Amino acid sequence: MSRLLSTQVDVEVAVNGYVTPGEDYFHRPRAASPVCSVSHREQRGKRPPPIALPGQPNADSLARMISNARKHKGGKIGIRDRICCHQWTWFTMTMATGGIANVLHSIWTPYRADWLWCIGLIFFLFNLCLFVMNCVLITMRFVMVPGSFVHSFLDQTESLFIPAVVVSIATILINTCEYGIPMTGPWLQHTMQWLFWIYIVVSVLASAGMYLFLWSTQIFPIHTMTPVWVFPGYPLLLAAPFASILIATETAASDNPPIHKLAVAMCAISIQGTGFLISFMIMAAFIYRLMTQKLPRDMQRPGVFISIGPSGFTVAGIVSLGQQSGVVIPDSFEGSTHSVIIIRLLSTIIGIWLWGLSVWFFLVSVGSLWKYARPERKMPFQMTWWSFVFPNTALVTATLALATAVGSNGLRITGCVMAGLLIMVWALVFVKMLRCLWNRQLLWPKELETE
């Protein structure tokens, strides 16, 4: 087979083996490529050269869409133009807010403090309002800016955050089980069971479909790799937490909960395992990227925290399901008594193992921000700052689940302290977001100011 040897890097690859290219390698112009001599048979069977892919959509192309949508209106930039800048990344805010409500419920469970319940309920209702607002704004953008819907799927950055909608829905469903089922009748129990199965189907289709679409339309060089690549698999990682909370709340609300607990638990474990293995393989690529390209750029640095989520959510879901094995496994199952003890032990051991991985990624993520402790170093705000919150909610709930499983007051106190700090981080990010909105740093088409 013939091979094109272009640039000195390609020659080194051919002679010495694989050489990791630098960032400039993907952006510098290609020189004329000499072709190695090949036989006549190889020339006849040689494939035609690949057709160059068109340039990927970016912020500039989105700005042009907005400019074309308003070119006949003129005047100053108004609320309509700011709405046109709304993107899928805004759903990370609802993910984080719903995660805080989940954390508060996890703390309330062992202590049964009414004030914790009230605060968690407020976060849940506030998150519902934020989710509806985001849905309205993103729909208005697609209507007012023709072509922006397709553009969002082709943009290398924005397309990765489209599954944030599915994850936001999952947090809302989980919060509904936590705060809604104990206050309502059996009708909500039936409804949440059906919604669980619908969510399982949607999460699998959304994850597989989004990855397939990205692999068919996008090119992601390894030097741009961050844990954000895991994001299309995140909907799968909420299956076990959803199932464990659904079983726990319905068992507490009724002596005979109208759900098939064993089917729900087994399905959730299957989906959770799939999501964790997918994310684990991608995280291996992230470690390779760190070894060859160092830490991500300033704009990409918040995404490092996403690496905490896969193992954290898996621990929270698997350990909680293991502790409920007594009500999940039917009495008719042969050896059910011994099975419950074995499952609880295995789930706890697996949970401790993966919890250590989550803590390790947490330390790496926090350590990646060390340079911003200096006053002269600043990280520009963007909506990915919500990655400081949502993945860490997984670590907190995992810590609290393990504390319940092993009966450790130390772990429980650690989880409560982490939860308090996490709520402070949520408040700081939310205030920073509002300031950037006021200062025209968010939802502001800066490219149109020169028109």
Side-chain angles (χ1 to χ4, degrees):
M1 294 294 293
S2 63
R3 178 171 180 177
L4 300 179
L5 301 179
S6 59
T7 75
Q8 184 64 27
V9 173
D10 291 333
V11 176
E12 293 177 2
V13 171
V15 175
N16 302 321
Y18 181 74
V19 176
T20 301
E23 296 186 9
D24 59 336
Y25 173 73
F26 295 94
H27 301 290
R28 63 172 178 250
R30 296 283 183 172
S33 304
V35 182
C36 295
S37 60
V38 294
S39 64
H40 180 66
R41 173 180 289 183
E42 290 176 336
Q43 287 181 351
R44 285 189 304 172
K46 185 173 63 176
R47 295 181 181 180
I51 301 176
L53 293 175
Q56 298 293 338
N58 50 34
D60 293 335
S61 60
L62 177 59
R64 287 194 296 270
M65 289 182 181
I66 299 175
S67 179
N68 292 334
R70 70 187 296 273
K71 62 184 179 180
H72 298 298
K73 295 178 173 61
K76 297 182 179 180
I77 296 175
I79 185 65
R80 176 189 177 95
D81 303 304
R82 302 194 69 171
I83 292 175
C84 291
C85 297
H86 194 274
Q87 295 184 337
W88 294 108
T89 53
W90 279 76
F91 284 94
T92 57
M93 174 178 58
T94 52
M95 291 168 49
T97 308
I100 293 294
N102 184 29
V103 166
L104 290 170
H105 184 272
S106 299
I107 300 175
W108 172 83
T109 301
Y111 295 109
R112 302 289 172 171
D114 292 338
W115 63 274
L116 281 174
W117 175 278
C118 293
I119 296 176
L121 183 61
I122 291 173
F123 268 96
F124 169 45
L125 297 177
F126 182 54
N127 188 48
L128 285 176
C129 297
L130 294 177
F131 181 77
V132 172
M133 178 194 72
N134 280 333
C135 290
V136 171
L137 292 179
I138 198 74
T139 303
M140 292 177 66
R141 169 203 166 182
F142 295 149
V143 172
M144 293 188 295
V145 185
S148 61
F149 178 75
V150 176
H151 171 275
S152 68
F153 280 82
L154 298 177
D155 184 88
Q156 281 193 345
T157 301
E158 188 178 4
S159 59
L160 289 170
F161 288 94
I162 294 176
V165 181
V166 184
V167 180
S168 297
I169 293 174
T171 59
I172 291 174
L173 294 177
I174 291 173
N175 293 158
T176 303
C177 292
E178 294 170 333
Y179 298 98
I181 290 179
M183 303 176 65
T184 57
W187 67 270
L188 187 56
Q189 299 177 10
H190 287 283
T191 303
M192 294 311 302
Q193 182 183 5
W194 280 104
L195 289 177
F196 170 80
W197 293 113
I198 293 174
Y199 174 78
I200 291 297
V201 174
V202 171
S203 64
V204 172
L205 294 179
S207 178
M210 197 66 220
Y211 271 127
L212 183 60
F213 185 85
L214 292 175
W215 295 336
S216 302
T217 61
Q218 305 283 350
I219 297 177
F220 295 92
I222 190 63
H223 75 273
T224 65
M225 197 277 171
T226 67
V228 177
W229 288 12
V230 179
F231 228 71
Y234 251 67
L236 303 176
L237 297 172
L238 275 295
F242 188 2
S244 64
I245 292 172
L246 176 63
I247 294 173
T249 53
E250 293 201 359
T251 302
S254 174
D255 295 332
N256 186 23
I259 67 170
H260 199 311
K261 297 183 288 294
L262 183 61
V264 169
M266 293 299 103
C267 178
I269 292 174
S270 174
I271 301 301
Q272 187 75 28
T274 302
F276 175 76
L277 291 177
I278 292 173
S279 62
F280 188 75
M281 290 184 286
I282 296 177
M283 292 313 301
F286 177 60
I287 298 296
Y288 168 77
R289 179 250 188 275
L290 293 178
M291 296 296 291
T292 58
Q293 301 289 335
K294 300 191 297 186
L295 289 169
R297 301 172 182 175
D298 293 346
M299 296 291 291
Q300 298 174 321
R301 197 66 60 91
V304 177
F305 281 83
I306 297 177
S307 60
I308 303 171
S311 51
F313 284 118
T314 302
V315 172
I318 296 300
V319 171
S320 298
L321 286 174
Q323 294 304 303
Q324 299 177 78
S325 57
V327 297
V328 170
I329 298 178
D331 296 333
S332 59
F333 186 80
E334 184 176 358
S336 59
T337 303
H338 298 290
S339 299
V340 169
I341 298 175
I342 294 173
I343 290 175
R344 286 180 178 175
L345 180 61
L346 286 177
S347 64
T348 302
I349 292 176
I350 294 173
I352 294 174
W353 175 45
L354 295 180
W355 181 78
L357 179 63
S358 185
V359 171
W360 187 85
F361 274 119
F362 173 77
L363 296 176
V364 170
S365 302
V366 174
S368 68
L369 303 178
W370 67 270
K371 73 174 185 178
Y372 302 107
R374 292 177 288 180
E376 64 273 12
R377 294 281 190 173
K378 293 184 178 180
M379 189 190 326
F381 180 84
Q382 51 186 342
M383 291 304 293
T384 52
W385 273 38
W386 289 108
S387 300
F388 295 147
V389 180
F390 181 70
N392 287 316
T393 63
L395 180 58
V396 174
T397 53
T399 303
L400 294 171
L402 281 176
T404 302
V406 301
S408 172
N409 289 327
L411 272 179
R412 184 172 291 111
I413 293 174
T414 301
C416 293
V417 172
M418 294 172 62
L421 295 175
L422 193 59
I423 294 174
M424 293 176 59
V425 174
W426 180 91
L428 291 175
V429 175
F430 191 79
V431 171
K432 183 67 175 178
M433 181 191 69
L434 294 179
R435 289 184 59 185
C436 289
L437 281 171
W438 179 261
N439 295 329
R440 300 177 179 179
Q441 297 174 356
L442 283 177
L443 296 185
W444 188 262
K446 297 180 180 179
E447 295 83 358
L448 301 181
E449 292 180 335
T450 58
E451 293 186 358

